[in-house]
Amino acid sequence: MIVIKPILASACFAAFMALASSASAATVVSGTVCEGGVAPAISASACDMTLGDFGNTPSRFILKPGGAFGLYGGVANGSRADQYLDTWMIDFGADRYNLSFNWAPKRNSNFDGFLFVNNASYAFDTAINPTGASISLGALSGSVAFIVNPILGSFVPQERGTWDLQVSPVSLPASLPLLALGLGGLAFARRRTAA
């Protein structure tokens, strides 16, 4: 049964991408953004923006970074396993952003599942990390789909956990603007001597 779940998740992801491709305008986000499903790890008063429950609808939330931001949410697994996903997209455009995904069980209960980021999958499980952990997703750009699926198979029928996604722009090296300025100066000097 465990083998079937990743196959079903892959099919879910393909349907997610097909539906999301016809999505509308993105919501610009920055600061502290809360999902609004299972209560996030931070208090609601600390949220700069609350979006609503992400749920299973892929094109419902398409986000566009307005700078660095933290996205906070929570997800649960009940007896109807197909009912409890958090799905969203982030359109980074041509810019690159560093991402880190953090997860933790709610009230020290058991919690496990998968994080799908485009074609990559990451498992999380309190059997391995009882208090949660952080997953570095590296630097990403373009349109990226996310699915948090709290169904790995170890803990049923009830489990609840919180997650957050920390997003920060990849900064240009400090020497890059100086290099561009130097090359521009050389081109200007060459042009002056040629005239």
Side-chain angles (χ1 to χ4, degrees):
M1 184 85 174
I2 287 286
V3 174
I4 293 173
K5 288 183 181 182
I7 293 168
L8 291 174
S10 294
C12 232
F13 184 75
F16 173 89
M17 291 303 291
L19 288 171
S21 65
S22 63
S24 59
T27 302
V28 177
V29 293
S30 63
T32 303
V33 182
C34 294
E35 175 232 347
V38 172
I42 61 171
S43 69
S45 62
C47 300
D48 296 321
M49 177 187 287
T50 300
L51 299 174
D53 187 19
F54 282 1
N56 298 7
T57 306
S59 59
R60 184 172 175 199
F61 291 100
I62 301 173
L63 311 178
K64 185 154 185 70
F69 69 95
L71 182 62
Y72 294 82
V75 68
N77 174 21
S79 57
R80 295 185 60 194
D82 59 342
Q83 295 290 307
Y84 303 98
L85 302 178
D86 277 344
T87 60
W88 72 96
M89 291 189 74
I90 301 177
D91 181 5
F92 296 111
D95 298 328
R96 294 181 62 75
Y97 285 79
N98 285 317
L99 280 79
S100 176
F101 178 83
N102 307 293
W103 63 273
K106 197 134 172 85
R107 293 187 207 96
N108 296 323
S109 66
N110 292 321
F111 183 54
D112 64 3
F114 290 99
L115 166 67
F116 296 95
V117 181
N118 281 349
N119 294 322
S121 66
Y122 306 87
F124 52 88
D125 193 339
T126 52
I128 299 166
N129 296 301
T131 59
S134 181
I135 301 168
S136 174
L137 304 177
L140 300 175
S141 64
S143 187
V144 181
F146 296 84
I147 301 173
V148 178
N149 183 345
I151 305 160
L152 183 60
S154 301
F155 308 114
V156 289
Q158 277 295 339
E159 56 181 316
R160 295 165 69 87
T162 61
W163 55 263
D164 67 87
L165 183 68
Q166 300 302 315
V167 180
S168 60
V170 174
S171 58
L172 293 173
S175 59
L176 193 58
L178 292 174
L179 176 62
L181 186 61
L183 290 174
L186 286 173
F188 180 73
R190 181 173 181 210
R191 188 172 175 193
R192 272 189 94 178
T193 58

